[in-house]
Amino acid sequence: MELYLVLGTPLLGGILLGLWGHKTWAAELNCLMSLFTFGAAVALTARIISTGPMLTANGQFFVDSLNMFLVALTAFVSLTTSLFSRPYMRIEEANGRLNALRLRFYHSMYQMFIFTMLLVLLTNNLGILWVALEAATLTTVLLVSLYRSAASLEAAWKYFILCGVGIAQALFGTILVFSASEKILGSGGGTLLWTKLADVAPNLEPTVMSLAFVFLLVGYGTKVGLVPLHNWLPDAHAEGPTPVSAVLSGLLLNVALYALLRCKVLVDGALQTPITGQLLMGFGLLSVVVAAFFLSRQRDVKRMFAYSSIEHMGLITFAFGMGGPVANFAGLLHMTVHSLTKSAIFFAVGHATQKAGTQIMDDIRGLIRISPTVGWGLLLGSIAILGLPPFGVFASEFLILTSAMRQQAWATPFLLVSLGVAFAAVFSKVQPMVFGESEGSRELKRLPHSPALLPVFIHLAIVLMLGLYIPPHLADWYRQAAKLLG
């Protein structure tokens, strides 16, 4: 029952808001549906903790430690983002950037986007997983183009084309997996069920599975934002509404990586060689290095933090490529703290850009004096994402680096230099935005609605806690999920 509530609530919310999303109380309904989804996710989490993994609906849905922690994280961040978007979108309407029709469209597509991501996480069928990720692409294309400006339409078109090509590659990889499994499992309905495939993975044809993984890596890696498949991501973040940027960075990238990891487990079982890990390490390290050096060239604050997302997803991918209990644990922890921190940063950035009337960093100065809560939120979020102690990002990055020193020593200098370059680039740009003098730059204006900054500090408080103390139940959860990844 809990699982159906997790999936059914955002689906129902999308339908209801498609009908009444233009009403004055639509933002509250959006928050309420997100709250119900989070409550259902908490109930499902409690059930999985008490009874163990669950297989239901004739094997079509499967819940274990790996996807359950991502379901809880997705439901939580979607709730806080809906709370943030309530005043944010009303300010956009007051500024003339949106009308009632587009607000209805936003609220409906927001709930449908959450539904598609939760479906990706909970389905046991690799075919449905592909369909759900394609649906997530379509909903986010519509959200990115919400402002209907030339730049937003160009960004949405680039996103659609690149991710459409990528997801087509993932479809071909899925077909290859089906071809390999059909010889073992027959032509029945279970040939794409992950649990059945995991049981027979050693018997799957290695050549077909290795070729399938290449297509799956290209396809789902495009959605993760791995270099050189990343070009859609900075434009989509910069031109879409800030709540969309928050869920893109905080949730969608994790969900796409989850799909890739599920496929990696199957291919590892078939090949019994480290080739999948080597591919993930290669693409992950390339993403970290390229994104770090692109950070210093950015003038748009949302584009800068989009490249930061590419850097961190590369680091997570590298950790999973190394494998082993510590590296997998660190990758899962980093997925959590990156989602919470990056969404908090976008919350603060959203209101900062609304106050300044621009996303150009040179025109945003003196936040700490004019809007202390926005300024402190942006500063603390930036410090956290740069990996300074005692925040949780430091803990996960430390585990990844020490694992690299032990398992892949050759990669450690590249990681250290890239993280140092990223630190210098981001801090040198955020510091003037927060503490700089406002003379010669745009005057920061008073917002027509009070910003929702409580989600910023809730996220950062959780990230701080995870840097100082990981609750034993949560640590066990991460260990079980890490073990599932091999």
Side-chain angles (χ1 to χ4, degrees):
M1 176 58 74
E2 295 90 346
L3 185 146
Y4 299 114
L5 286 174
V6 169
L7 291 174
T9 303
L11 179 60
L12 176 63
I15 295 170
L16 293 177
L17 287 164
L19 296 172
W20 299 295
H22 60 291
K23 302 291 186 180
T24 55
W25 40 264
E28 285 74 15
L29 178 59
N30 189 40
C31 295
L32 186 63
M33 300 308 291
S34 298
L35 178 62
F36 286 160
T37 302
F38 177 63
V42 170
L44 181 60
T45 302
R47 178 174 177 180
I48 298 302
I49 290 173
S50 62
T51 63
M54 179 176 67
L55 192 64
T56 186
N58 198 26
Q60 295 300 313
F61 295 105
F62 176 63
V63 190
D64 61 6
S65 299
L66 177 58
N67 57 358
M68 192 60 250
F69 112 84
L70 286 170
V71 167
L73 180 64
T74 299
F76 176 72
V77 174
S78 66
L79 170 61
T80 55
T81 304
S82 69
L83 295 173
F84 159 74
S85 73
R86 177 175 168 269
Y88 180 89
M89 300 308 283
R90 284 176 174 165
I91 294 170
E92 294 292 89
E93 185 182 23
N95 291 338
R97 300 193 71 188
L98 294 174
N99 55 32
L101 181 62
R102 291 185 191 169
L103 278 178
R104 179 172 71 177
F105 193 75
Y106 164 78
H107 289 131
S108 178
M109 287 300 103
Y110 181 84
Q111 288 295 320
M112 296 304 290
F113 178 46
I114 301 306
F115 165 72
T116 57
M117 288 192 293
L118 291 172
L119 182 58
V120 170
L121 294 173
L122 291 170
T123 184
N124 189 33
N125 189 309
L126 296 184
I128 296 177
L129 183 148
W130 180 87
V131 171
L133 263 179
E134 175 69 2
T137 300
L138 295 176
T139 54
T140 43
V141 164
L142 297 173
L143 287 169
V144 168
S145 65
L146 189 68
Y147 291 132
R148 299 296 190 272
S149 64
S152 67
L153 290 172
E154 180 185 350
W157 182 247
K158 182 186 289 188
Y159 175 41
F160 176 72
I161 292 297
L162 290 177
C163 288
V165 171
I167 211 74
Q169 306 300 313
L171 175 60
F172 189 64
T174 305
I175 292 171
L176 288 173
V177 172
F178 174 82
S179 174
S181 65
E182 189 179 24
K183 297 176 182 177
I184 308 298
L185 297 172
S187 57
T191 47
L192 282 178
L193 296 183
W194 187 86
T195 47
K196 291 190 176 183
L197 288 168
D199 291 336
V200 301
N203 300 320
L204 297 174
E205 173 59 42
T207 304
V208 176
M209 292 300 290
S210 59
L211 185 61
F213 186 75
V214 172
F215 283 99
L216 290 165
L217 176 59
V218 172
Y220 294 142
T222 303
K223 297 287 290 182
V224 177
L226 298 177
V227 174
L229 313 166
H230 68 288
N231 290 315
W232 63 271
L233 198 149
D235 288 348
H237 281 64
E239 302 303 333
T242 302
V244 177
S245 302
V247 289
L248 276 174
S249 264
L251 300 179
L252 182 62
L253 304 186
N254 280 353
V255 170
L257 184 56
Y258 161 82
L260 185 58
L261 292 176
R262 283 292 194 195
C263 298
K264 176 183 180 293
V265 172
L266 300 177
V267 179
D268 284 342
L271 299 183
Q272 301 296 321
T273 64
I275 183 64
T276 59
Q278 292 168 354
L279 286 171
L280 289 181
M281 283 191 292
F283 278 98
L285 186 61
L286 180 64
S287 301
V288 173
V289 173
V290 171
F293 284 92
F294 266 97
L295 280 168
S296 61
R297 301 179 56 189
Q298 303 310 310
R299 298 179 65 243
D300 184 301
V301 62
K302 291 173 69 177
R303 286 183 69 90
M304 181 181 73
F305 283 114
Y307 275 104
S308 173
S309 295
I310 295 171
E311 177 207 1
H312 284 278
M313 293 311 296
L315 192 61
I316 295 166
T317 303
F318 180 83
F320 288 129
M322 285 192 295
V326 177
N328 285 339
F329 182 98
L332 294 167
L333 177 60
H334 202 73
M335 288 176 84
T336 306
V337 294
H338 174 257
S339 292
L340 294 170
T341 308
K342 189 57 62 66
S343 52
I345 288 172
F346 275 113
F347 296 162
V349 164
H351 285 309
T353 55
Q354 282 183 327
K355 293 182 78 68
T358 179
Q359 294 177 189
I360 303 302
M361 288 179 280
D362 291 341
D363 294 331
I364 305 174
R365 290 291 184 269
L367 286 171
I368 201 75
R369 293 187 301 277
I370 298 166
S371 184
T373 50
V374 174
W376 278 113
L378 179 58
L379 179 65
L380 292 174
S382 301
I383 289 173
I385 205 64
L386 291 173
L388 287 181
F391 289 98
V393 179
F394 169 78
S396 57
E397 286 185 351
F398 181 81
L399 287 174
I400 293 171
L401 286 171
T402 52
S403 296
M405 291 176 188
R406 184 175 62 255
Q407 299 180 41
Q408 306 291 335
W410 61 272
T412 307
F414 294 99
L415 292 173
L416 288 173
V417 170
S418 299
L419 292 174
V421 170
F423 180 94
V426 174
F427 194 78
S428 66
K429 293 178 181 295
V430 170
Q431 190 271 340
M433 292 174 63
V434 177
F435 296 108
E437 296 295 330
S438 57
E439 289 87 359
S441 63
R442 297 194 180 204
E443 195 67 30
L444 298 185
K445 58 188 178 184
R446 191 176 189 86
L447 299 177
H449 298 275
S450 298
L453 291 169
L454 184 60
V456 176
F457 296 101
I458 291 175
H459 282 209
L460 294 178
I462 296 173
V463 174
L464 178 62
M465 181 199 74
L466 292 175
L468 298 171
Y469 171 74
I470 300 178
H473 288 297
L474 183 60
D476 290 339
W477 200 353
Y478 284 139
R479 290 190 193 98
Q480 292 170 22
K483 187 177 179 181
L484 291 171
L485 295 173

